Amino acid sequence: MRLSSFVLLVMLLTAEVFPQISPSVSNYFRYGTGERSLGTFKGDFRYSENLTDIRVGLPYNFSAGVRILYDTPPETGLEYRGIKRRFAEYNDGDLFVRLGDFSSIYGRGLALNLFEARGLGYDTWMDGLNIRYSRGMISGGLIYGDLDFKDSIEIARNEKHRIRGGNLEITPIKNLKVGGSFIYSESNFNLVGFSKEEKVLLPSVYANYRAGKLSFIFDAAYKESENITDKSRSSGTGVFASVTYIGDGFGITLDYKNYRYDERDPFGRNDITRSTRMLPFQNPPTAIKEHSYTLLTRAIHEVDFNDETGFQIEIFYSLDENTGLNFNGSLSSRHNSFSYDESIFTFRKEERYLSFLPSADKKFFPYYEVFGEIEHYFSESNYMKAAAGYRSKVFYDEFFGGKNNHEITSLVIPLQLNNTISDFYSYEAEIQGERVYDNFNRGQEVFYNLLFTFINTVKSSLTLTLRYELTDNNHDLSGKKNWFTIEAGYRINQGNSAVISYGSERGGQICSNGVCRYIQPFEGFRVSLLSNF
């Protein structure tokens, strides 16, 4: 934090002397102290995080920046203190050159998608060189550098990837863009006391087409891994496609995924040391709806990019200028099934006809979801939302032929009302109810959750939020049945705000962009400060 203040002071003084230099600073501070729990275990927990992003605009289209990070300890992820990122770049509109840390994505991310999700403790930014050039109908890029990835969940897993690659995109005719990319990585995996070295090839092709009311997206990638020690090879593929049609007051999108990067039997699938699975610098679309309702964000399904196929359909229809309907449905499953042969202690793969399509048969670990929502505006700033979402997941018992399947279903019904009384005061009230069936929930297969949220806003700058959640589940991992939090936020000006909260939070498994983490229950005090200069 002292380093951040010193750098800011130097930048401000430099800007006074050299007016052509334009500095900007964003600082985000978070602190929490209280207690974390997991079942009957409870322990004191404190986190302190300070993130400072500094950027300096320089003459002749140059700029430079640095991120100073103090996560000691962090709320999620791994502990870090020091300079997390630094870069220098040139950008004249056609040519972009960045030296240092960067994120990037090729196509839809089947071969390369470097990003950060701080709330989940996930970071795949690279350190190296990133070049992009665009002129007329041709654009392309090159990357070279290193990714040092430490899994914040599987603490014993540390991966280092030296990545080289690039992409080329061409627009041969109006509204059509076709492209291809090639990624080569020399990868080292430090896994539970031993290491593996592999060479990885990841070519991909993709295309985007948009004309009038219709648009189409296609991306396909091939992954080949070669173990340097024993020369063994492993290969897999990934395909994503999406079609969208938007008419007058009507829209429909159909997504399709077929990810088979590393299909394995149950022994291999559950081996966290395996290096052949999808790599962290890949991240394809999930083809599953990303929800904003709290009870629906607690996922019962984690996408398996190594062995999953499925589709998603999204439909929007406007009844009139004030009322809209939204529908979403998805189905996913594994490609094939495995049966256990007790005599030789191995699994036999049973190939499925039409395995490129999802199946609702329990042998293929099916997951499906249907979701519907209606939104009605009483006026420009007053509206109501009502929704219902039903989800079902089967974890098939492959060892005993389905005798002990784990089955979970969830029905969530949210209702939200937003009302602006005047320029001085507005409120948002929300209630979410959930019925859960879980046959592994120790004698209480059906239980209910209820969440109330009430947000009060005064003069668009002061916010007071009350959240209360309760359950009748006698076996919740937190060991509790109700949680209450009060939160106050104040927006000082357009670039500065503060939030303070106290109470208890339930936690649970949260997924975003296919990355899932279990967030432990927390009870205590939190404060966050955001400043932009």
Side-chain angles (χ1 to χ4, degrees), residues 259-277:
Y259 303 140
R260 204 187 300 221
Y261 286 110
D262 191 32
E263 185 181 4
R264 295 297 182 104
D265 67 21
F267 290 139
R269 189 188 309 143
N270 298 314
D271 179 11
I272 66 170
T273 68
R274 89 181 196 267
S275 56
T276 52
R277 64 186 184 180

Side-chain angles (χ1 to χ4, degrees), residues 108 207-219 239-247 250-257 285 287 310-316 327-329:
R108 299 293 292 179
N208 299 332
Y209 174 77
R210 178 171 298 176
K213 300 178 179 181
L214 183 68
S215 63
F216 174 74
I217 297 171
F218 176 81
D219 197 346
V239 173
F240 174 80
S242 178
V243 179
T244 299
Y245 177 85
I246 299 177
F250 172 79
I252 181 170
T253 298
L254 178 63
D255 295 334
Y256 169 74
K257 63 182 175 184
F311 67 85
Q312 172 184 219
I313 185 170
E314 182 98 20
I315 300 174
F316 171 79
F327 170 81
N328 180 278

Side-chain angles (χ1 to χ4, degrees), residues 417-433:
L417 178 65
N418 191 297
N419 192 6
T420 300
I421 305 299
S422 66
D423 293 339
F424 180 79
Y425 176 73
S426 65
Y427 70 86
E428 179 182 302
E430 183 176 282
I431 180 172
Q432 300 179 37

Side-chain angles (χ1 to χ4, degrees), residues 77 115-124 149 152 279-283 515 517:
F115 71 101
E116 179 186 28
R118 274 194 59 78
L120 299 178
Y122 190 86
D123 186 359
T124 57
F149 178 75
S152 63
L279 298 172
F281 56 80
Q282 303 172 257
N283 193 259
V515 178
R517 297 289 186 261

Side-chain angles (χ1 to χ4, degrees), residues 7 168 217 246 392:
V7 172
L168 179 66
I217 297 171
I246 299 177
S392 174

Side-chain angles (χ1 to χ4, degrees), residues 291-299 369 371-373 385-389 391 410-417 428-436 447-455 465-472 481 483 506-507 510:
H291 290 283
S292 59
Y293 296 111
T294 301
L295 296 184
L296 285 168
T297 61
R298 295 172 186 164
E369 175 179 351
F371 173 83
E373 181 183 55
K385 290 182 181 180
R391 302 173 293 171
S410 166
L411 173 63
V412 177
I413 299 178
L415 178 64
Q416 184 184 107
L417 178 65
E428 179 182 302
E430 183 176 282
I431 180 172
Q432 300 179 37
E434 180 180 28
R435 179 190 185 274
V436 180
F447 58 91
Y448 296 87
N449 301 313
L450 201 59
L451 173 64
F452 299 92
T453 305
F454 190 51
I455 304 173
T465 302
L466 305 174
R467 287 193 299 270
Y468 180 63
E469 184 173 358
L470 65 157
T471 183
D472 68 348
K481 284 194 170 185
W483 302 262
R506 187 174 186 177
I510 306 297

